[in-house]
Amino acid sequence: MSTARERILEATAELLATKDAAAISTRAICDRAKVGMPEIYRQFGDKEGLLTAVADLGFERFLANKRRNPRTDDPVADLRTAWDSHVAFALGNPHLYRLMFTPAGTAKPQAIAEAQALLLAAVGRCRDAGRLRTSPALAGQSILSANVGVCLMALSFPELYGGLDISQSVRDAVIGKVTGDEREDTRIGAATVLAQTLLDTLTGATPSPERPPRPDAARP
């Protein structure tokens, strides 16, 4: 028999399939989980603690998908496959993905460190093959930041940036840059600027002088 904690987590995850986290009330979660309101606070402290726990469960699914990615003799091609699987997860779980990668509270999902570690291992294979032009740490940070930015743009502005060609263009540009396997594509400029600007807005970062402060400053 499932525990109250498990039922609350499952109910929240089910509601996230159709609604953004901010639109889900604790009453709706309790009704679905068949528990009293105090149980959320007893198990998680508050709604923020609950959402952090759900985000960590989302990362468990996300990382399980990552581990199933095929490993070939071409580590750069494997990076592209990992990028595409990341995008597929985001598009298939939009509300959960936003909760995972744009946490609103002070508590942050801890599994992001494991996601970075998996990426660093993949980047390390490129280094071992002599196909890395920067440090593994910087390469991993660059790839993950760009990957998340593309996904958030696709989820936030699907009519403009939901096409997989945008994702593939940015993927090839970023991975090509860090591995020396550049593929020239003029379509990536506006998407890259807008993805970084959205990340700046969501994280509260100050745009660098090289980047315009607003998405509408970029022109395709």
Side-chain angles (χ1 to χ4, degrees), residues 80 83 146 166-185 188-189 192:
R80 294 192 183 97
W83 175 293
I166 297 290
S167 172
Q168 291 163 0
S169 296
V170 179
R171 176 199 68 191
D172 290 345
V174 174
I175 294 176
K177 185 68 174 178
V178 301
T179 64
D181 189 28
E182 289 98 339
R183 298 180 179 186
E184 186 67 26
D185 193 325
I188 66 170
T192 302

Side-chain angles (χ1 to χ4, degrees), residues 2-10 33-35 39 43-44:
S2 61
T3 65
R5 181 183 180 87
E6 290 169 340
R7 293 199 306 275
I8 292 170
L9 288 171
E10 181 180 359
K34 295 181 171 53
V35 298
E39 196 65 34
Q43 296 290 339
F44 303 98

Side-chain angles (χ1 to χ4, degrees), residues 76-141:
V76 176
D78 290 349
L79 280 179
R80 294 192 183 97
T81 298
W83 175 293
D84 292 342
S85 72
H86 183 133
V87 172
F89 181 91
L91 297 181
N93 305 274
H95 304 301
L96 177 60
Y97 186 86
R98 285 196 184 94
L99 179 63
M100 291 163 55
F101 284 97
T102 60
T106 55
K108 309 297 182 184
Q110 297 303 302
I112 186 67
E114 187 176 352
Q116 185 71 8
L118 283 177
L119 181 53
L120 282 175
V123 168
R125 292 182 59 225
C126 296
R127 176 201 56 203
D128 295 343
R131 300 180 66 184
L132 196 63
R133 292 170 51 174
T134 185
S135 70
L138 181 58
Q141 290 168 335

Side-chain angles (χ1 to χ4, degrees), residues 140-165:
Q141 290 168 335
S142 299
I143 293 169
L144 186 57
S145 295
N147 210 170
V148 172
V150 163
C151 290
L152 292 177
M153 289 299 292
L155 296 179
S156 299
F157 307 103
E159 298 84 1
L160 293 174
Y161 297 101
L164 290 180
D165 59 332

